[in-house]
Amino acid sequence: MRYIIYIFLATIILSSCNLSKDIDINLPDYTPQPVVECYLIPGEPYRMLLTKSNSYFDPFNFDDPLKYFESIVLHDATVMIIHEGDTIRLREEVRLDLASRKLFNYVSDKIVPEEYGQPFELKIITPEGKNIYGITQIPPPVPIDSVQLEFDKDEARELIYMTDDLSKENYYRRMITRNTLDSLPEQDYVTDDKIFTTAKQAYGTGYDFKLGDIAINTHYHITRDYYLFANSIRNTSSNPFTQPGIVRSNVTGDAKPLGIFTGFTFDRDTVKIVK
């Protein structure tokens, strides 16, 4: 019993002490870096978002997002994409893609060709004369073979089947949206094909859908570079007091850029949930 009393008294003494102390942390100056997001999609125009990174503690104006966007875009860059001897120059112009909910500020009216496995090169010269370089290719489409529904009373789950080429190392992005493409995804993740031992692969959901829902399934065939980039973004901590994560970029150059230059293809299947 006396040991319990000693612990109780020690707790009272410690709680009565002022143990708080202000600590000043001197953070190093942050130098913004160019950030590249360029996705080559066959049948769509060449487009790119080119911005500048900022510090975790830089202010964000929630009342005026357009003003914030203007503060981070990188103006007056020279942007070129080279493919099979053809140089496509992207002009500076802001465009919004409603389907992907993405903004772009360098665009071309030329259409990305359906040429798979061939190199595309990106060359950017910043206003300061620094260089950014990247190279990628577009993987061939991997279609959705079928979509099956399984019911538990009035709730349904989906099983989506596709065929993987086991002779190659493949990477995929899986996305499901409900009713409209511009809704927040029910599922959105990247994966590789290492977990499968047969060519026939299946992806599933929980019993998340109700009668009358429309499930929009999008299956992307992506590059390894994008797989690593997307996972590194997801795993990067938002806590400024922890060890910062490393963004797995595939763009290089003396401009010290971050970001991704990649191509992908996709197949989409829309299913109405009915018995």
Side-chain angles (χ1 to χ4, degrees):
M1 175 64 74
R2 61 181 179 181
Y3 295 108
I4 297 177
I5 294 174
Y6 292 153
I7 294 172
F8 177 69
L9 290 174
T11 303
I12 293 176
I13 293 170
L14 287 173
S15 63
S16 66
C17 298
N18 183 7
L19 299 179
S20 64
K21 183 179 180 180
D22 294 332
I23 299 175
D24 293 326
I25 300 176
N26 293 320
L27 297 175
D29 292 335
Y30 180 77
T31 302
Q33 297 170 263
V35 180
V36 176
E37 275 192 87
C38 186
Y39 305 101
L40 304 179
I41 309 171
E44 297 189 9
Y46 290 90
R47 297 172 294 192
M48 185 186 71
L49 179 64
L50 184 60
T51 59
K52 296 173 288 186
S53 65
N54 55 18
S55 168
Y56 183 93
F57 294 101
D58 284 351
F60 177 78
N61 188 349
F62 291 94
D63 296 326
D64 194 347
L66 289 179
K67 185 176 180 180
Y68 174 76
F69 175 75
E70 177 61 27
S71 72
I72 63 171
V73 294
L74 204 160
H75 293 290
D76 302 323
T78 300
V79 180
M80 298 168 284
I81 296 177
I82 303 164
H83 176 61
E84 293 190 338
D86 186 20
T87 299
I88 299 95
R89 294 183 178 270
L90 277 62
R91 66 183 180 275
E92 188 172 359
E93 179 183 315
V94 176
R95 287 189 187 177
L96 172 63
D97 183 3
L98 293 175
S100 63
R101 303 187 301 277
K102 287 187 177 295
L103 272 173
F104 304 94
N105 59 333
Y106 286 87
V107 299
S108 171
D109 294 327
K110 288 193 173 183
I111 302 300
V112 178
E114 294 184 6
E115 297 181 9
Y116 309 120
Q118 303 300 317
F120 290 78
E121 295 181 64
L122 172 68
K123 292 184 178 181
I124 301 173
I125 303 173
T126 69
E128 298 78 23
K130 301 290 186 178
N131 295 284
I132 300 171
Y133 177 77
I135 187 167
T136 192
Q137 60 180 345
I138 303 173
V142 177
I144 297 172
D145 294 337
S146 63
V147 179
Q148 297 181 13
L149 299 177
E150 294 184 352
F151 286 89
D152 180 9
K153 297 180 181 178
D154 290 335
E155 295 180 324
R157 71 168 182 165
E158 289 189 305
L159 293 172
I160 297 92
Y161 294 92
M162 46 80 65
T163 303
D164 180 57
D165 183 354
L166 294 178
S167 67
K168 298 178 181 178
E169 192 175 78
N170 292 300
Y171 300 87
Y172 301 109
R173 180 181 177 185
R174 170 97 173 97
M175 183 183 293
I176 303 177
T177 50
R178 189 191 303 262
N179 297 330
T180 62
L181 275 174
D182 58 359
S183 63
L184 291 175
E186 302 286 321
Q187 286 187 7
D188 186 5
Y189 60 88
V190 295
T191 184
D192 57 34
D193 61 355
K194 295 178 183 177
I195 62 174
F196 296 99
T197 57
T198 62
K200 197 73 170 180
Q201 298 186 6
Y203 298 88
T205 70
Y207 288 92
D208 302 324
F209 296 94
K210 300 184 182 300
L211 293 176
D213 282 345
I214 297 174
I216 305 171
N217 302 280
T218 309
H219 186 259
Y220 298 88
H221 192 190
I222 61 176
T223 63
R224 182 175 184 271
D225 284 343
Y226 180 73
Y227 169 81
L228 296 173
F229 172 78
N231 270 332
S232 69
I233 292 294
R234 183 166 298 174
N235 295 332
T236 298
S237 173
S238 60
N239 186 342
F241 301 107
T242 60
Q243 183 69 24
I246 298 175
V247 177
R248 297 289 296 270
S249 303
N250 74 335
V251 287
T252 60
D254 57 7
K256 298 181 179 178
L258 301 169
I260 186 70
F261 173 55
T262 190
F264 61 80
T265 53
F266 67 90
D267 188 27
R268 182 169 288 141
D269 194 308
T270 301
V271 177
K272 187 170 184 177
I273 308 301
V274 294
K275 284 188 176 181

